Every structure is written in C-alpha cells, then in structure tokens.
Amino acid sequence: MKPLEQLLRPNILRLKPYSSARDEYSGEEGIFLDANENPFNAPYNRYPDPHQRKLKRVIGELKQCDPSSIFLGNGSDEAIDLVFRAFCRPGVDNVVSIDPTYGMYQVAAETNDIEVRKVLLTPDFELNTEAVLKAVDQQTKIIWLCSPNNPTGNCFHEADIKQLLTTFEGIVVLDEAYIDFAPGKSLLPQLSAYPNLVVLQTFSKAWGMAGIRLGMAFASPDIIQILSRIKYPYNLNVLTQQKAMELISKNKVATEDWIELLIAERLKMAEHLKQLPFVHHVYPSDANFLLLKTPDAKKIYNYLVERKIVIRDRSSVALCAGCLRITIGSPEENKALINQLSGLQ
Ligand SMILES: *Cc1c(COP(=O)(O)O)cnc(C)c1O
C-alpha cells in the first residue's frame, strides 16, 4: 500500500475539522450552556454524541473490533460517499469497480466527478482479478468490491479478494452488506493484516433496521480518523443511536433466527422457481435474494405488479439480460409470489 498521505486528497490531509461544543467538553453531567440548545423538551433538545462512543462500544463488542476501527454513518451510503471524498480528486482520480454491482458506487462517483472503470465479472459472476488489475493506473485510488455481490448474489473467492488487497497499492473497499446470509466468512477479523482494506456492513439487511439508517465501515484507525473528520459532526441523530443500542441487545437472538429462516426460505424458493417453465435459471445465492433468468423479465415484472407484488427488474444490467431479482420475504409473502407465478403461462 502507498502511504496514506499519498492516497488522500491533499485538501483532506490538510483539513482542520469543525470543533463542536460537544468536542470540547464531553462529560455527561453539568449545566450545559455551551451549544445554544433549548433547555426544554428533554431529551430531544440535546445534540447527539458526535463520536457515538456508547454505540461504538456496543458494536465493537458485537463485531469483536476496537471502536477506533469503526466508522458509523447514515447508512452505508454515507460511508461510500465519504470514501470517495477522502481519496479521489474530482476530475483527476479514478476508481475501478466490478460490473454488475450495487448502483450506489457509480452514483457517489458521479456526484463527486470521479471516473469509474467498470470491469465485467466472468460469465459465472466471478472476479476477473487480472482484468481488474489491468484497469488500474497511477490515478486509481480505490477498487470497489461487493461480496456477496448485489445483484448476482454470490460471494467471491477469498483468495481473489486477497490477491487484489496485496497487489493493488490503493484502497480496497469490500461491501459485506449481505455477509450474514453467506456461508463464507467476513474479512473483518483479518482487518489488521490489510491496512488498505475498508469493510462495509449495515444494519439494513440481516438486522432488519433499514428504517433507522445505520451503516458501518471498518478500517485501520488512520483511515477511520479521516472519515470521522470529514463527516457531518452530528451525522447520527439521537433517535438512531438510542434505537440501535436498544434493538441490538433486544434482537441478538432473533436476528440469528431470521437469518436461518430466510436462508431456508431461499433454498425452498429456489426449488419452487426452478419448476416454473419460464424460469431458465436460478443463480446460486449467498444473500437474502435470488436472481433468475427468464425469457421476458418485463412481462413477468408487470404481471406481478398488477397483482401487487413488487420485485426488481435487473434485465438492463451487465451480464443480467432477462434477469429478475427477488428478495426473500416472510413464508407467507414467498408463498403468495409462487402462487401468482404458478398462474402465469
Ligand atoms: C442494501 C445494500 C447496502 C445497504 O445500504 P444502507 O445505506 O446501509 O441501507 C449496502 N451495500 C449493498 C451492496 C446493498 O445491497
């Protein structure tokens, strides 16, 4: 890896962060006349902890990771945007991304005026590490990976990911939004072995908390410090921080049960879908969704929407002609989908 000073945008390296009232005094007791807050309407009158200390301790324990290696954001989307802003000079630097993958990397790149060099996965959706490395040049700051990948559903080989981590001299972001549904392991326990690795995870999927917006980035303390310096000071509101701590302790066991049930439903759904004459292929999935190939994705999508069942048409995405992506729902929801599809000729 190149030294961080060479990878970061020079203006970010120089940046002196905003110092909030709560930065200068962080005790919990006292008469607080420092932040121009309203003394009434407690507890909502107070600004949240900008460093999210309590929540990071809880998540650190959950993930077996030191709080100094954790960034928390308003969904993973915030971390994605901040990584671009920390490392990529608009109109100058570029990133390499796989294709197909999650659309937010492209959107965040475009809003920051960063070129995305897309490298096709192999026909069976594996990483083409050689092509990824070939797309890299002096201005490439980040390689974006997603495993299990959205929308293909598969995990990449750990050896392929590690080859990129050790060969590429910039930052490798590994989005593990669906890792809880995968048989393979997270790279999180190996974080300290790869100073250029940024792992993204989220509470939106396995934990069922998409509504409270809470995403995580894990990386070396040096990288985490940079992301923390450039975020909005109060990026996580009081409600999200409180609710997350409450639900993490309340749902630890339930989450394990949900994951188990959703994986069982995924297997069942795959079997049912394979029986349908217009389903040409159900791709293996390590996530909470299935990707299937059909002769006419639009027709099936419209047929289901008319029956108030909404799935995702991915047929315009690279390597995914005719493909639909179906999220695994509750057993009742999945049954309703199969029932409706059985009526389609
Ligand atoms: C759903 C998803 C996320 C989650 O994003 P949040 O902003 O945390 O809700 C992240 N990455 C991928 C690939 C996803 O599919």
Side-chain angles (χ1 to χ4, degrees), residues 73-78 80 101-105 145-151 175-178 200-205 209-210 213-216 289 325:
N74 188 341
S76 316
D77 294 345
E78 182 181 2
I80 292 169
T101 193
Y102 186 45
M104 271 311 292
Y105 316 138
L145 301 176
C146 182
S147 179
N149 189 32
N150 179 4
D175 189 340
E176 294 187 336
Y178 299 99
L200 302 182
Q201 292 188 5
T202 179
F203 283 93
S204 296
K205 308 284 156 67
M209 299 190 211
R213 309 305 300 128
L214 181 55
M216 300 161 270
F289 58 82
R325 193 193 71 192

Side-chain angles (χ1 to χ4, degrees), residues 29-198:
E29 307 273 309
I31 297 176
F32 288 103
L33 305 175
D34 57 344
N36 297 346
E37 295 155 334
N38 187 318
F40 307 111
N41 204 33
Y44 307 107
N45 58 332
R46 298 296 174 194
Y47 281 102
D49 173 11
H51 307 292
Q52 303 123 11
R53 291 182 183 85
K54 280 189 195 162
L55 181 54
K56 279 189 183 173
R57 271 201 294 276
V58 169
I59 291 175
E61 204 153 299
L62 182 71
K63 300 288 179 182
Q64 294 296 300
C65 174
D66 192 84
S68 63
S69 282
I70 305 175
F71 170 86
L72 300 179
N74 188 341
S76 316
D77 294 345
E78 182 181 2
I80 292 169
D81 182 55
L82 288 180
V83 172
F84 274 110
R85 284 161 54 192
F87 292 102
C88 300
R89 291 168 294 177
V92 177
D93 292 327
N94 67 70
V95 303
V96 174
S97 165
I98 51 174
D99 196 22
T101 193
Y102 186 45
M104 271 311 292
Y105 316 138
Q106 174 85 30
V107 172
E110 278 172 21
T111 58
N112 288 294
D113 193 18
I114 309 300
E115 178 198 351
V116 180
R117 303 182 165 189
K118 292 186 182 182
V119 176
L120 273 186
L121 298 175
T122 66
D124 52 353
F125 297 152
E126 294 297 344
L127 269 181
N128 184 345
T129 53
E130 206 175 306
V132 168
L133 291 170
K134 232 174 163 173
V136 166
D137 72 6
Q138 278 304 310
Q139 267 63 56
T140 305
K141 294 298 184 71
I142 308 168
I143 295 175
W144 289 88
L145 301 176
C146 182
S147 179
N149 189 32
N150 179 4
T152 59
N154 59 309
C155 281
F156 299 130
H157 300 298
E158 193 172 303
D160 287 346
I161 298 172
K162 285 184 174 171
Q163 192 202 342
L164 295 178
L165 275 165
T166 49
T167 314
F168 178 53
E169 296 198 303
I171 302 295
V172 176
V173 180
L174 177 63
D175 189 340
E176 294 187 336
Y178 299 99
I179 195 68
D180 303 287
F181 302 103
K185 291 205 171 36
S186 167
L187 273 200
L188 191 50
Q190 302 180 57
L191 197 60
S192 56
Y194 300 99
N196 58 339
L197 173 62
V198 177

